[in-house]
Amino acid sequence: MTATTAELPAANAPAKPATVTLAKAVNTALADAMAADERVVVFGEDVGALGGVFRVTDGLTARFGENRCFDTPLAEASILGTAIGMAVYGYRPVVEMQFDAFAYPALEQVVSHLAKMRNRTRGAVGAPVVVRIPYGGGIGGVEHHSDSSETYFAHTPGLHVLTPATVADAYSMLRQAIDSPDPVIFFEPKRLYWSKAALELPVSTGPIGTAAVRREGRDATLVCYGQSVPVCLAAAEQAAREGVELEVLDLRSLVPLDEEAIVRSVGHTRRAIVVHEAAGFAGFGAELAARIAEKCFYQLEAPVARVTGLDIPYPPPKYEHWYLPDADRVLDAVDRALAA
Amino acid sequence: MTLLDLTASPRSASVTAGPSWDSQPLRYLDEHGAPVEGGLRPSAEILDPATLLRGYRALRFARAFDTEATNLVMQGRLAVYPSCRGQEACEVAAVQALRVEDWLLPTYRDSAALVLRGIPAVDALTLLRGTWHCGYDPKAWRTMPQCTPLATQGPHAVGLGLAAKLAGDPVVALCLFGDGSTSEGDFHEALNSAAVYQAPVVFLVQNNQYAISVPLDKQTHAAALADKAVGYGMPGVRVDGNDLIALGTVLDAAVRRAREGGGPTLVEAVTYRMQAHTNADDAARYRRSDEVDQWRRRDPIERLATYLTALGTLDAAVEGEIEEECAAYTARMREQFAEEPGYHPDEMFEHVYATPTPRLLEQRELVRAELGDATDAPGTGTEQSR
């Protein structure tokens, strides 16, 4: 809590919502889910006494005990597979992959089992597991700490793939993910962990599979998610000073994809720029560009543009400012779209 | 806690202490069906003639099922069938060691274990018939879907065992592996995690000497697969996989130990895959027939039959009864698999998510529209599988 004594409200006044970080919102969602449902268990590497390397699981073991939040051996495939077994038994596991690139050893368990359990058993058994993955760059992380790996998962039928960009979404979407009967890959934008906003609970920001318009505009739509959302908002702010009104659509959910919201927005603005940090080639933006072309072809005034990470292995910290899509790169693409 | 009651056995020291360092498999019957001098000492319960006869019936049943499934693949009724011929004692012992509330985690070679567990043959063979992936309800049968990616079922067993432990349920998970699986990373992760959590899991490796064409000596440099247990801090036991009495003794002890909170055990059952990997394989390319002949003489069924006959428990009349039971079962299998299976393309979209996404509904309509254009579309129009 950041409120000082001087700021504390009078006893009979309505409580002012606390300003919290995105990491704290995730932490609160985990705690509230564990309090609400004793089937919810949290486990992963360093999530116990340490509270996770990003402190997202801080205090959960102390509050709920080692049977509800516990450290595992350093073995991602085993963490995922154990979660699958526990989910089949009746638990609601929420597991943490410590960093994006450290989730790869678990990929076989995700692709071959987690995603397929409901389907292969004709609906008899689901696998309600939430896999939390801090992802993305811009934190000065050394090799293997800055990947945007969402497309590997979005390409796998049977998974929901979510990524919040706001404090309220981090709380609300994680609660929904834990309640979901299907497996959810929950990508947490690690650069935004320390971004702050007021969080008034309870909060529900809309069901899984719905996008949110973060800023309305008439001239072009920036389609984005995760840590590209604040980049696009900054670009829209700059553009507005030059009289260009950009709409910012935060997808929130990659799978299921809110195609209606995309079509509604692009149908209105007639121009679309897709923005993400992951490499562009065969990236999620390619799917978005193709869907927009299929559904909005006759409304489009310009080709759909993609502003993405470069098609290179994620670079060292000293280079990453050249890699990451920033507001200028977005605005250059906007200029090209408006000139078309 | 002692794993096995081996009092007066020369091996008792090494095994009751925990991990087995002895590469000679534990055995009760020799290859000719006679009790081994100084061998295992099974409990009176296991040596009870009625129990042994029940085991023998199950062995014969497993062989009959396996033979019929092999026939069905040749008749085109199954897409593929990995036979467990020669490994029936492992299939029977695994199932008989478990209670109905325990979990079994089978591989693609363990179809016999599924039917021994009580799953109808048509449901057990759904995967290999190709009419769906898993044809039975895993929760109803406490049996996970047959696992094809090697060793990936290991961590699931840990999860099921850990869940039971956290819930306070006296439930055990028994995970089947082949020898090839022991080279996989998930095997290591599963055994290590199970030991750390002290999860009630029994890992049974059916060492049938081959992973498709690759023999065991190209799979491991260890003297025995059971020795791997040492590194995980759990007992490892090497047992004759063609000796039902020895297997039952070892697995009963391991399951009891897990149920009582003693943690996991690795059991290596030394056996042999008498058939090729599947009907699509040609074993003559990588192994000699005299090796197969040598193992044919160690057949698990004949071995027990010799012993039971000597005991007077088994005679021609009982053999006849068993023969009839098996014949009736396989005749029913033939009838069932002669029926055209029912399946409908809509089902492809129904179970991907609890609620289909808009995208899947679009694609379902696409397939429906395509079928509307076609006549006599194969596999459509029946409701049997719905």
Side-chain angles (χ1 to χ4, degrees):
Chain A
M1 296 298 121
T2 55
T4 63
T5 310
E7 290 167 340
L8 284 176
N12 57 353
K16 203 171 145 191
T19 296
V20 301
T21 63
L22 191 145
K24 179 65 182 172
V26 175
N27 175 268
T28 307
L30 289 170
D32 289 358
M34 291 172 83
D37 184 349
E38 64 178 14
R39 298 174 304 167
V40 177
V41 287
V42 172
F43 53 96
E45 296 155 7
D46 301 297
V47 301
L50 180 67
V53 295
F54 293 106
R55 306 295 181 268
V56 168
T57 56
D58 189 32
L60 298 181
T61 301
R63 178 172 167 195
F64 295 100
E66 287 197 354
N67 284 355
R68 301 287 305 283
C69 178
F70 53 90
D71 289 325
T72 65
L74 216 163
E76 291 80 11
S78 179
I79 292 169
L80 240 300
T82 299
I84 291 167
M86 292 187 76
V88 170
Y89 201 93
Y91 281 84
R92 292 282 180 141
V94 183
V95 297
E96 176 172 304
M97 298 285 106
Q98 198 159 72
F99 280 87
D100 31 58
F102 301 152
Y104 299 144
L107 201 62
E108 183 182 20
Q109 285 289 345
V110 173
V111 172
S112 296
H113 291 294
L114 185 70
K116 292 177 176 162
M117 191 62 74
R118 178 182 299 284
N119 186 63
R120 74 205 294 214
T121 62
R122 279 198 175 110
V125 178
V129 174
V130 177
V131 184
R132 296 181 35 248
I133 306 180
Y135 82 120
I139 59 157
V142 296
E143 193 180 19
H144 308 303
H145 290 76
S146 299
D147 283 13
S148 288
S149 47
E150 65 273 19
T151 308
Y152 302 129
F153 299 91
H155 188 65
T156 301
L159 303 173
H160 288 320
V161 180
L162 310 183
T163 177
T166 70
V167 166
D169 268 355
Y171 180 90
S172 173
M173 288 167 64
L174 184 54
R175 292 296 307 271
Q176 290 167 346
I178 295 170
D179 287 342
S180 169
D182 289 311
V184 176
I185 311 298
F186 196 80
F187 278 102
E188 295 171 6
K190 67 171 91 82
R191 192 165 81 231
L192 304 184
Y193 265 149
W194 314 118
S195 64
K196 288 183 178 179
L199 179 63
E200 188 166 15
L201 297 177
V203 61
S204 181
T205 57
I208 288 177
T210 57
V213 175
R214 296 293 176 209
R215 181 188 177 110
E216 291 187 351
R218 61 171 189 275
D219 296 321
T221 301
L222 305 178
V223 184
C224 54
Y225 54 87
Q227 37 200 50
S228 292
V229 173
V231 172
C232 289
L233 286 170
E237 190 66 35
Q238 283 186 45
R241 288 199 286 272
E242 294 164 19
V244 175
E245 295 298 334
L246 299 177
E247 184 141 304
V248 177
L249 185 66
D250 173 4
L251 291 177
R252 305 189 329 130
S253 169
L254 308 190
V255 184
L257 182 63
D258 190 351
E259 289 183 16
E260 273 183 36
I262 297 170
V263 169
R264 196 183 314 122
S265 177
V266 177
H268 170 65
T269 63
R270 296 175 169 257
R271 288 176 174 85
I273 295 95
V274 176
V275 185
H276 61 61
E277 249 184 62
F281 185 82
F284 195 72
E287 175 67 29
L288 293 171
R291 293 305 273 183
I292 293 167
E294 285 168 11
K295 300 255 172 166
C296 307
F297 185 77
Y298 295 106
Q299 285 87 49
L300 287 174
E301 299 281 357
V304 180
R306 282 183 289 162
V307 178
T308 68
L310 309 174
D311 294 325
I312 59 171
Y314 195 89
K318 300 294 187 195
Y319 296 64
E320 67 180 340
H321 62 285
W322 289 313
Y323 173 93
L324 293 168
D326 60 5
D328 286 344
R329 200 176 278 173
V330 172
L331 288 172
D332 286 347
V334 170
D335 286 346
R336 289 194 297 274
L338 290 173
Chain B
M1 176 177 294
T2 58
L3 174 64
L4 295 169
D5 179 13
L6 297 176
T7 44
S9 157
R11 288 196 222 294
S12 60
S14 66
V15 177
T16 52
S20 164
W21 294 94
D22 193 332
S23 62
Q24 281 303 307
L26 297 176
R27 187 171 283 151
Y28 179 71
L29 294 178
D30 67 17
E31 293 184 17
H32 310 292
V36 178
E37 203 173 321
L40 271 172
R41 290 195 151 194
S43 65
E45 193 186 349
I46 282 184
L47 290 178
D48 176 64
T51 307
L52 292 178
L53 196 57
R54 193 165 58 90
Y56 180 72
R57 279 176 190 270
L59 286 176
R60 290 287 306 274
F61 173 79
R63 171 77 44 99
F65 166 83
D66 189 77
T67 305
E68 186 57 36
T70 300
N71 292 339
L72 287 171
V73 79
M74 288 189 285
Q75 294 159 12
R77 300 296 185 189
L78 297 179
V80 65
Y81 182 70
S83 167
C84 70
R85 192 179 184 91
Q87 302 173 220
E88 291 92 344
C90 298
E91 302 285 295
V92 170
V95 171
Q96 292 194 341
L98 298 180
R99 298 177 181 167
V100 286
E101 65 268 29
D102 293 331
W103 279 87
L104 179 70
L105 293 99
T107 75
Y108 51 80
R109 199 173 299 288
D110 301 309
S111 302
L114 301 183
V115 291
L116 288 165
R117 196 106 163 104
I119 298 171
V122 168
D123 299 339
L125 290 171
T126 296
L127 171 75
L128 302 168
R129 198 183 194 188
T131 47
W132 199 255
H133 305 301
C134 176
Y136 50 90
D137 179 346
K139 279 194 166 172
W141 293 101
R142 291 278 182 149
T143 302
M144 285 290 272
Q146 281 175 293
C147 192
T148 313
L150 293 191
T152 55
Q153 74 277 26
H156 306 166
V158 178
L160 288 162
L162 181 59
K165 181 182 174 179
L166 293 179
D169 299 336
V171 166
V172 173
L174 192 151
C175 182
L176 297 171
F177 288 125
D179 44 300
S181 292
T182 63
S183 302
E184 292 278 6
D186 278 25
F187 175 85
H188 163 70
E189 292 197 16
L191 268 74
N192 185 59
S193 298
V196 170
Y197 300 140
Q198 286 294 285
V201 183
V202 176
F203 299 101
L204 173 57
V205 176
Q206 295 181 61
N207 173 6
N208 68 11
Q209 315 297 332
Y210 287 91
I212 303 189
S213 67
V214 178
L216 186 67
D217 63 1
K218 289 184 180 168
Q219 211 65 247
T220 182
H221 195 61
L225 296 174
D227 291 351
K228 291 173 185 276
V230 178
Y232 303 116
M234 70 172 75
V237 184
R238 195 160 192 256
V239 60
D240 186 329
N242 288 13
D243 180 345
L244 184 67
I245 298 174
L247 274 166
T249 304
V250 168
L251 288 177
D252 273 6
V255 167
R256 190 182 326 116
R257 185 170 177 279
R259 201 183 308 283
E260 290 171 356
T265 302
L266 172 63
V267 178
E268 175 192 3
V270 182
T271 182
Y272 194 78
R273 194 192 75 207
M274 295 301 294
Q275 299 286 357
H277 167 62
T278 67
N279 53 292
D281 179 33
D282 177 9
R285 293 176 74 100
Y286 53 81
R287 69 184 189 189
R288 293 160 54 105
S289 61
D290 56 351
E291 180 186 292
V292 182
D293 290 340
Q294 193 184 5
W295 278 92
R296 191 168 287 121
R297 288 193 289 275
R298 299 171 186 158
D299 184 79
I301 301 181
E302 281 179 32
R303 195 189 292 193
L304 190 60
T306 306
Y307 176 65
L308 292 180
T309 304
L311 283 185
T313 307
L314 186 63
D315 57 22
V318 179
E319 281 281 14
E321 281 172 31
I322 295 172
E323 192 68 41
E324 267 180 43
E325 284 169 11
C326 291
Y329 184 84
T330 53
R332 177 77 188 121
M333 267 177 80
R334 272 193 297 282
E335 282 170 24
Q336 289 173 323
F337 282 87
E339 292 167 14
E340 276 304 312
Y343 49 97
H344 193 281
D346 274 6
E347 191 156 26
M348 295 192 294
F349 304 98
E350 281 173 17
H351 313 299
V352 183
Y353 299 98
T355 307
T357 59
R359 184 119 187 202
L360 288 182
L361 295 177
E362 251 180 49
Q363 294 181 350
R364 189 181 71 188
E365 287 313 306
L366 176 78
V367 174
R368 281 180 178 174
E370 287 171 355
L371 290 172
D373 296 339
T375 52
D376 298 331
T380 62
T382 96
E383 294 298 310
Q384 292 171 20
S385 70
R386 306 299 308 285

